[in-house]
Amino acid sequence: MLKSIGATERWLFVVIALICLYLSIATDTFLTLVNLFDILNYSSVNIIFAAGLLVVLIAGGIDISFAVAASVVQYLVAITLAEWGGGNWAIGISLAILFGAALGSINAALIYHFRIISIVVTIATFNLFFGLLMFFTGGVSIYDLPSWLSRRVILFEYETAIGWAEITLPVLAMVFVVFATWLLLRRLSIGRQLFAMGDNPEGARRLGIRIGAMHYLAYGWLGACAGIAGLMQAHYAREIVPNALYGRELEVLAAVVLGGARLGGGRGTLLGAVLGLVLISITQNGLNLLGVSPYAFRMIVGAVILVAISLSSETIAGLKERLRDRRAGAEAAR
């Protein structure tokens, strides 16, 4: 079984185990069921984001607008449900997927039809979505949610000496999204086409792969995942706050890249993305328990992205090429 796990994933397992060992010795509360279940509940939304972002990265793109898009979906779903008299879980999830996929398709259309670099497009839509959200809502939160959405669904609970340990609905949604993404990437031919496009877009086009459709699939999938994540966040928090998810995009991007997804496309695993997210979540939780400033966590996330980009195969290949050119120039000058 270990042979089927990549080197990055094995390395992450070791690092996570060492951090858990240290935190369990350094703090009294880390290795408690309440704290571990809190990490699981909190991480579920981010793992849903990560599954969608992994699909985009494998396809050769990047998206930093998904967390803001999830906030937009929260408001759209809440307003629509209020107009329709409340709705239920089936209607709410369907609307979240529909609105999320529509916002993701906007990114896909701009990237594919206008040939604009994905990072530029998603920086623009990040600001566009958030600006529109704040303009139309005035930054006002929504607390009057339908009862089925605001009533916390607890899948498992256990009373301990320091309180109740609970596993809530977002965990089940996370399992569903991760399984669906695994099916897409590993069991369907369309998933292999995403890998092919990310690895070599021109080669994929010559093989007859519909590049435009792949863009809509990748960004639409991330948008749908963002919609589900936004709905789960609203359910878990029992409120909708316009900037509640603001900033999650860097957290999730760092985790997915840390898990081995290549910034450039064609490579990445779900296990790596999940482990990357677990490592980030445990680090954040550990810093909180140790009383370290939350700004330290932001520094760590930034450093992870920098290191991941520096160690990417494209960067290393570029460095090797420049070294070869210098050696060739030095030999020619002799």
Side-chain angles (χ1 to χ4, degrees):
M1 180 180 174
L2 284 176
K3 289 182 179 177
S4 63
I5 299 175
T8 302
E9 289 83 353
R10 288 199 295 270
W11 175 79
L12 283 171
F13 270 123
V14 172
V15 173
I16 290 169
L18 289 174
I19 291 177
C20 288
L21 180 62
Y22 170 74
L23 290 174
S24 62
I25 296 171
T27 69
D28 295 328
T29 50
F30 175 75
L31 206 59
T32 61
L33 206 55
V34 174
N35 185 56
L36 294 178
F37 279 11
D38 280 346
I39 295 175
L40 180 62
N41 288 319
Y42 173 82
S43 302
S44 297
V45 168
N46 283 354
I47 291 177
I48 294 172
F49 280 139
L53 181 60
L54 177 67
V55 174
V56 168
L57 291 178
I58 285 173
I62 192 169
D63 189 342
I64 63 165
S65 67
F66 58 86
V68 172
S71 295
V72 174
V73 170
Q74 287 180 328
Y75 275 83
L76 291 175
V77 170
I79 293 169
T80 306
L81 290 173
E83 290 291 325
W84 291 358
N88 52 42
W89 273 112
I91 296 174
I93 291 175
S94 300
L95 285 173
I97 292 173
L98 183 66
F99 287 135
L103 293 176
S105 296
I106 293 174
N107 285 331
L110 291 170
I111 292 165
Y112 177 69
H113 295 292
F114 294 92
R115 300 290 191 267
I116 308 174
I117 301 171
S118 56
I119 184 70
V120 175
V121 168
T122 56
I123 287 174
T125 52
F126 171 90
N127 288 285
L128 178 66
F129 293 160
F130 192 67
L132 287 171
L133 179 64
M134 297 303 285
F135 178 79
F136 284 106
T137 65
V140 176
S141 304
I142 298 178
Y143 301 102
D144 186 20
L145 299 175
S147 58
W148 58 266
L149 182 58
S150 59
R151 187 173 54 249
R152 184 167 291 179
V153 178
I154 299 172
L155 305 175
F156 173 80
E157 61 182 351
Y158 182 78
E159 187 175 14
T160 69
I162 59 172
W164 285 90
E166 299 173 341
I167 293 179
T168 55
L169 183 63
V171 177
L172 180 62
M174 172 199 72
V175 171
F176 172 79
V177 170
V178 168
F179 179 67
T181 306
W182 176 79
L183 280 179
L184 171 72
L185 294 175
R186 297 296 175 185
R187 287 292 180 267
L188 299 179
S189 63
I190 204 167
R192 291 189 285 275
Q193 292 179 21
L194 287 169
F195 276 98
M197 185 180 80
D199 191 48
N200 186 345
E202 181 57 25
R205 188 185 64 78
R206 290 179 180 177
L207 286 173
I209 295 174
R210 298 171 61 192
I211 302 299
M214 291 297 106
H215 276 81
Y216 280 99
L217 172 64
Y219 288 93
W221 189 272
L222 173 54
C225 290
I228 295 172
L231 194 67
M232 290 300 115
Q233 171 66 22
H235 167 68
Y236 188 66
R238 302 179 187 179
E239 62 181 7
I240 296 176
V241 180
N243 58 356
L245 296 170
Y246 191 93
R248 291 275 187 106
E249 60 281 343
L250 290 184
E251 218 174 291
V252 175
L253 176 63
V256 176
V257 172
L258 189 64
R262 186 170 64 182
L263 291 171
R267 192 178 71 196
T269 66
L270 265 173
L271 179 60
V274 171
L275 289 175
L277 219 312
V278 170
L279 178 57
I280 293 283
S281 299
I282 289 175
T283 302
Q284 185 178 21
N285 180 258
L287 292 174
N288 288 336
L289 294 178
L290 292 170
V292 178
S293 166
Y295 296 115
F297 175 67
R298 308 301 301 176
M299 288 190 293
I300 290 171
V301 169
V304 166
I305 295 174
L306 275 177
V307 170
I309 292 173
S310 301
L311 297 178
S312 67
S313 56
E314 289 82 3
T315 307
I316 292 174
L319 287 173
K320 286 181 178 177
E321 189 176 348
R322 283 200 291 275
L323 282 174
R324 280 197 300 269
D325 291 343
R326 284 185 183 180
R327 285 175 185 168
E331 290 176 0
R334 289 176 185 172

